[in-house]
Amino acid sequence: MKFIIRLFPEITIKSRGVRQQYIKQLKKNIRHLVKPICELSRVGGCWDLLEVETDPSTSPTQTQAISDALTRIPGIHHFMETQEHALPDIEGICKLTLSALAERLHNKTFAVRVQRTGIHSYSSLDLQKEIGAYLLDHSSAAGVNLKSPEELVLLQIHHDRLFIVGKRREGLGGYPLGTQENVATLMSGGFDSSVAAYQMLQRGIYTHFIFFRLGGTAHEEGVKRVAHYLWSQYSQSHQVKFVTVPFEGVVEHILTRVDQGLMGVILKRAMIRCADALARKLKTSALVTGEAISQVSSQTLTNLQVIDQTVSRLILRPLISANKQLIIDQAKAIGVAELCEQIPEYCGVISQRPTSRAKLTEIETSEDAMDSQVLQNAITSAVIESITQVLNNTADMPQVEEGLIESEADDRVVIIDIRAPDEREASPVKKLEYPVLVLPFYRLHSQFSSLDQSKEYWLYCDQGIMSKLQTQNLLSAGFTNVKVCPAHLLAQ
C-alpha cells in the first residue's frame, strides 16, 4: 500500500527555502507517528507531494492505523490510499483498474478521472474514455455518470508509475508542527480552551498546557485527560508539558479581599500574570486562551483590554468571534466534547454581580491591597510534567456518597452550606433538625481539618455540582466523614 500525500496549499506558495523547510519538518513528523505502527514503512517524496509506502507484510490493521494517523497530522491537505504498479499500456491499465475496483462498482454509477505527470502517448481525457468503456463492459456497474457519480475512479500517473486510488481522506491542513514557534494554552478543560488549543495545532503551532486548579484533584484529573487526548490525537510528534498551578489559595484570597464586581477580571489577570511567569520557563512565545467576545462578563472588549495590560506577552484568542454552538460543534468534530462535558465551568462561581466595564485604576487599586505572596506561592508550587506522564500520575477518584436520612435525625450529622455569601442571601436554607454550618467552598480546603472530625459532614450547594466536587476533593485528601447533602432536604 502506498499513501500519496498532498500538502496544505499555503505551503506550496512559500519561497523555495521555506517550502523545503516545511516539507522536511512534515516528513519528520510523519515518520515519528508512522514508524511505531510499521517499522518497515518508508516516507519519501518532495516538492509537491509526499509518499508513505508500507511493507508487503503490513497487516490491514496496521494500514488502517497509518491511514488514521495521517488524518491527524497538521500540514496534510489530503491523502490517497493507492495501489502502485509499473505503468503498462492502456489495456494493462484497464485490467489493473478493473481488478482493484470491480467490487466497489457493483450496481453503482461511476466516473473516471485521470491525473498525469510526465510525457505519454495519450492524453488524460483519452485514457478516461478508454478506462470508462472497459469498466462498463467488464464490470457490474450501473452505468457512467460524469456529473454526480456514486463512485469516483481516480488514477494518478507519475511518469512510469501507475497509482490506482482506493480512498481519499482529508487531512488537518495548516502548517507542520515545529515550523512555528510554540505557545502555552490556559487550559480549563472546557469546550473553549480545548478548541482554541486545537486551532493552534491545526495552524502548526504546538502548545504546552497551563491548568489553574480551582476545583481540586477531580478537576485536575479531568483536564489532564482532555489535554492528553488533544496531544495524543493531534500533536504526538512533539513533546509538550502540562503545568498544574494550585490556585485554590488565590481564589480564596480574591473572594475574601476583592469587591464582588471586580472578582472575575482580577482572577483572569492573576492567571495571566502567573502564566506569563511559567511561559518564561517553558520558553514559549505567546499565551492562548479560549475567550470569545462577551461570552461571559470578563470577556467584553473593555475587560479584555484591562486583562491584556497585565503583561507584555502576546495573548492569542483564536475563538474571539466564535459563537458557543460553533465551538461545541468543533469540539464534537475533533472528538473531545464528551471529555469536556464532564468538567463544570468553575469560574462561574467567582462573582454574582460582575462588571462588564472594569476600570484599570480600580483594578490596580484592588490588586495593590492584595498579598502578592499568595500569587507567588502558586507560581512556586506549580508542577510541570511531561504530557506523556500525566495519566500515569492520576488516581482513581473515590466514590462520592449522598447522606442517608434516617427516620430520626442523627446527632453526628452536620450540614455545611458551602455556597458563596450572595447565594446564601438570595436563597436561605429552611429550618432543619440538623445543625447547619456556613463554610464557603473556597475556605473548605484550608479549614475542614480544624472541624470536629467525630462528626459526619454533608456538603450543600444549590445545583449539587460544587458539593459533589468538594466532597470528592476532601475524600481524596484522606477524610472519610464527608458526603453530599440530599438536595431535597434543603429544598424550599
Side-chain angles (χ1 to χ4, degrees):
M1 174 71 73
K2 178 174 283 191
F3 300 89
I4 297 179
I5 298 168
R6 291 293 181 180
L7 308 176
F8 178 56
E10 289 182 28
I11 297 175
T12 65
I13 62 174
K14 297 293 183 184
S15 66
R16 183 181 185 88
V18 173
R19 184 171 180 172
Q20 287 177 334
Q21 174 195 348
Y22 281 22
I23 291 173
K24 181 180 179 180
Q25 183 66 55
L26 180 56
K27 289 166 72 172
K28 180 180 177 181
N29 295 348
I30 293 172
R31 287 192 189 98
H32 187 90
L33 295 181
V34 167
K35 286 290 186 180
I37 300 172
C38 177
E39 178 62 33
L40 298 177
S41 59
R42 183 186 68 84
V43 180
C46 61
W47 202 242
D48 62 340
L49 62 84
L50 300 180
E51 299 174 350
V52 175
E53 185 174 8
T54 61
D55 185 80
S57 63
T58 304
S59 70
T61 301
Q62 289 174 306
T63 300
Q64 184 62 46
I66 292 173
S67 181
D68 291 342
L70 293 176
T71 65
R72 302 190 298 266
I73 299 177
I76 296 176
H77 182 263
H78 70 270
F79 63 92
M80 293 162 287
E81 301 175 4
T82 68
Q83 295 180 19
E84 181 184 5
H85 306 274
L87 182 64
D89 57 18
I90 291 180
E91 183 178 359
I93 295 173
C94 292
K95 289 180 178 178
L96 287 172
T97 305
L98 177 67
S99 175
L101 304 177
E103 288 187 20
R104 258 177 55 188
L105 299 180
H106 179 65
N107 287 335
K108 294 180 180 178
T109 59
F110 71 93
V112 180
R113 301 286 186 268
V114 176
Q115 299 172 350
R116 288 187 311 113
T117 300
I119 301 173
H120 305 94
S121 60
Y122 42 77
S123 69
S124 297
L125 183 59
D126 291 337
L127 194 55
Q128 287 174 183
K129 291 178 180 178
E130 291 283 349
I131 296 171
Y134 188 89
L135 294 177
L136 193 59
D137 291 341
H138 294 83
S139 74
S140 56
V144 174
N145 186 330
L146 298 180
K147 290 186 177 180
S148 55
E150 294 175 276
E151 289 288 341
L152 185 63
V153 177
L154 181 60
L155 279 68
Q156 295 199 356
I157 296 174
H158 296 281
H159 303 288
D160 60 350
R161 309 299 295 172
L162 168 68
F163 299 92
I164 302 174
V165 178
K167 184 192 298 183
R168 168 177 163 149
R169 300 188 71 181
E170 300 302 312
L172 285 185
Y175 297 131
L177 289 180
T179 58
Q180 316 298 313
E181 297 167 271
N182 61 75
V183 298
T185 299
L186 277 64
M187 195 72 181
S188 70
F191 295 109
D192 301 344
S193 59
S194 301
V195 172
Y198 168 79
Q199 290 193 5
M200 290 293 101
L201 297 171
Q202 194 179 34
R203 197 63 181 170
I205 303 171
Y206 72 88
T207 178
H208 302 286
F209 302 98
I210 299 178
F211 163 64
F212 294 92
R213 191 178 65 205
L214 308 181
T217 305
H219 186 197
E220 177 183 349
E221 298 197 358
V223 178
K224 281 182 174 180
R225 289 188 177 91
V226 173
H228 187 274
Y229 174 87
L230 289 170
W231 169 78
S232 66
Q233 293 296 303
Y234 303 108
S235 61
Q236 200 174 136
S237 57
H238 287 72
Q239 290 300 309
V240 303
K241 302 295 185 183
F242 185 95
V243 185
T244 301
V245 186
F247 232 54
E248 296 94 340
V250 177
V251 171
E252 179 178 345
H253 196 62
I254 290 173
L255 287 170
T256 55
R257 299 285 189 92
V258 174
D259 178 80
Q260 272 277 336
L262 305 181
M263 288 178 178
V265 174
I266 288 180
L267 176 66
K268 288 288 181 68
R269 281 170 60 93
M271 288 178 171
I272 292 296
R273 193 173 283 116
C274 180
D276 180 62
L278 293 167
R280 285 195 291 271
K281 293 184 180 181
L282 298 171
K283 298 180 180 179
T284 65
S285 301
L287 301 176
V288 177
T289 78
E291 292 163 312
I293 287 292
S294 294
Q295 193 174 102
V296 296
S297 62
S298 64
Q299 295 173 19
T300 62
L301 286 175
T302 298
N303 287 350
L304 289 176
Q305 186 178 29
V306 171
I307 291 167
D308 281 0
Q309 292 181 60
T310 309
V311 297
S312 59
R313 191 179 301 274
L314 176 65
I315 301 175
L316 300 173
R317 296 181 173 93
L319 307 184
I320 195 65
S321 63
N323 64 63
K324 192 67 176 183
Q325 189 57 53
L326 202 133
I327 295 169
I328 293 172
D329 289 344
Q330 185 161 25
K332 291 178 180 178
I334 64 178
V336 78
E338 188 173 339
L339 292 172
C340 295
E341 286 170 351
Q342 300 173 24
I343 300 175
E345 291 286 349
Y346 296 101
C347 289
V349 303
I350 295 303
S351 176
Q352 299 299 313
R353 298 188 298 272
T355 181
S356 60
R357 294 179 180 273
K359 295 179 180 179
L360 183 59
T361 53
E362 293 181 355
I363 293 292
E364 290 178 337
T365 299
S366 292
E367 289 176 337
D368 288 342
M370 295 172 61
D371 184 355
S372 61
Q373 189 60 44
V374 175
L375 183 61
Q376 187 57 48
N377 290 342
I379 296 172
T380 304
S381 302
V383 177
I384 302 177
E385 303 173 87
S386 168
I387 193 69
T388 60
Q389 297 299 314
V390 293
L391 295 189
N392 296 337
N393 298 334
T394 60
D396 292 334
M397 286 290 97
Q399 187 66 36
V400 173
E401 296 181 7
E402 190 175 89
L404 180 63
I405 299 175
E406 305 288 352
S407 55
E408 294 184 5
D410 187 338
D411 59 8
R412 291 180 60 250
V413 172
V414 176
I415 293 174
I416 301 181
D417 187 343
I418 67 170
R419 296 176 298 170
D422 273 10
E423 293 177 293
R424 291 199 308 273
E425 184 179 332
S427 179
V429 297
K430 65 183 182 181
K431 197 168 184 179
L432 297 167
E433 296 181 39
Y434 301 100
V436 177
L437 172 65
V438 172
L439 186 59
F441 69 93
Y442 49 83
R443 293 191 184 278
L444 269 176
H445 79 283
S446 61
Q447 297 187 13
F448 189 83
S449 61
S450 64
L451 301 180
D452 181 356
Q453 297 303 309
S454 68
K455 301 289 186 180
E456 181 176 287
Y457 296 98
W458 296 358
L459 306 190
Y460 169 75
C461 70
D462 286 335
Q463 303 299 321
I465 297 174
M466 185 58 71
S467 58
K468 182 177 180 181
L469 174 72
Q470 296 298 336
T471 299
Q472 197 164 58
N473 293 337
L474 291 170
L475 290 171
S476 297
F479 296 101
T480 58
N481 57 334
V482 58
K483 296 181 179 180
V484 174
C485 180
H488 67 274
L489 186 65
L490 296 177
Q492 294 293 336

